[in-house]
Amino acid sequence: MSSTVETCVTSHGLTPMTLTAKTSDGKLLSIPFSESSATITELTQPAPTGSRAKALFLLDRFAVSDEFYHELAQIFPEMPRLYQIKGLRKDMNSEIEIFSLPQSYVGRYMKVKNIVEKTLGETLEKLGVQASPPTVTIKFSGDENHTFASVKGPEEYEFLKACFEPVWRELQELIEYPFLCINGTQIQLDIVFGSDYKNYTFSRPDKHLGSRHPPLLQLEPSHYVLDELHLLLRVSDVLVRNVIHLADHLDQQSGLRAGRARHYIPCLEKLVQSCGVPFKISP
């Protein structure tokens, strides 16, 4: 069982140290995960479970519901009570400014400048930097650790342009005036964007080579970080789609409408499957 638990925990980027279990007669056992020690010891007192803040972090980190935590706390009375967790969550939320998106869009956003100031200050303090550096590079990407905006809807240009209008405006202001005051020192920001922002930040004047729409942010191409894998996947998506459309077109031309069975689509499916990739085209 311990190996199963260890696999589950490590899949979330954590390193398990011990597992505390309770026997049917109420004894607490500590099971180590270390390869150098395989001794199971009996605990005379309940192992410390951490503060409310740690419990709240785990709930948010692993998307654990309040109902599940309530049932778990009933089994382990030494854990913080659910009402304490809810109270701490409410207090923390009250300290964060969260704004609604315009119109009727289902989503929220936080001030970009405030997030950057807070994150940058905490990072410099964590690294033990005594004097703030004159220039700091800040990267904005769609898959990073600090989320400042979210919305329910399609990943389409017009939709994102409208719903995130205040976010784009704040980002543009930060691009045009890339300076922040951290610990009394003015820091210049070197702002770059990841490849998943390319459809919204980068375009070319040539109508044949540029994007369909004008960029939502005015940013120099030198501040755009290329991701070769991301671009390769984009290109491969287009190529696969074109091959599927071609096979379907050939089937149509060969008399599919007259009641004949498909030929090119099944051949394409078998060809891709022969590479060891599950592949099936829905009719």
Side-chain angles (χ1 to χ4, degrees), residues 35-207:
E35 296 181 356
S36 59
S37 176
T39 304
I40 300 177
T41 57
E42 181 178 348
L43 301 177
T44 56
Q45 295 181 351
T49 56
S51 64
R52 293 178 297 164
K54 292 181 179 180
L56 179 58
F57 168 78
L58 293 175
L59 292 182
D60 292 341
R61 175 67 173 79
F62 301 106
V64 179
S65 67
D66 289 345
E67 291 76 12
F68 179 87
Y69 182 84
H70 172 73
E71 297 299 326
L72 189 63
Q74 296 300 311
I75 302 175
F76 299 97
E78 65 273 12
M79 296 177 64
R81 301 293 90 187
L82 179 59
Y83 75 88
Q84 296 176 319
I85 301 298
K86 288 184 175 181
L88 177 61
R89 181 189 293 143
K90 183 178 180 180
D91 293 340
M92 294 179 66
N93 289 339
S94 64
E95 298 176 358
I96 303 175
E97 288 187 306
I98 302 179
F99 303 91
S100 299
L101 293 174
Q103 300 180 21
S104 58
Y105 296 109
V106 181
R108 299 289 188 271
Y109 76 96
M110 294 183 289
K111 296 289 186 180
V112 178
K113 186 176 180 180
N114 294 346
I115 294 296
V116 174
E117 288 179 341
K118 181 176 182 297
T119 304
L120 184 56
E122 292 176 349
T123 302
L124 294 176
E125 181 179 356
K126 182 178 180 180
L127 295 177
V129 179
Q130 300 297 329
S132 299
T135 304
V136 175
T137 300
I138 299 293
K139 178 186 176 184
F140 289 95
S141 182
D143 55 357
E144 297 299 326
N145 297 327
H146 304 281
T147 302
F148 54 84
S150 64
V151 67
K152 181 180 180 181
E155 189 180 0
E156 298 175 355
Y157 177 90
E158 294 296 342
F159 178 82
L160 296 178
K161 176 183 178 181
C163 70
F164 284 148
E165 188 276 332
V167 179
W168 300 125
R169 184 174 63 252
E170 289 187 25
L171 285 172
Q172 188 62 48
E173 292 175 356
L174 199 59
I175 291 172
E176 295 177 359
Y177 188 77
F179 296 95
L180 291 178
C181 185
I182 306 294
N183 299 328
T185 303
Q186 181 172 271
I187 298 178
Q188 182 174 358
L189 303 179
D190 177 26
I191 300 177
V192 298
F193 283 81
S195 58
D196 43 5
Y197 273 74
K198 67 180 182 301
N199 292 334
Y200 317 118
T201 61
F202 181 62
S203 67
R204 297 181 58 175
D206 191 319
K207 63 180 180 179

Side-chain angles (χ1 to χ4, degrees), residues 239-260:
L239 294 178
V240 171
R241 182 173 65 247
N242 289 345
V243 171
I244 294 175
H245 288 171
L246 176 60
D248 181 66
H249 177 70
L250 293 175
D251 276 337
Q252 296 289 345
Q253 283 189 332
S254 63
L256 177 62
R257 295 178 180 177
R260 297 175 57 182

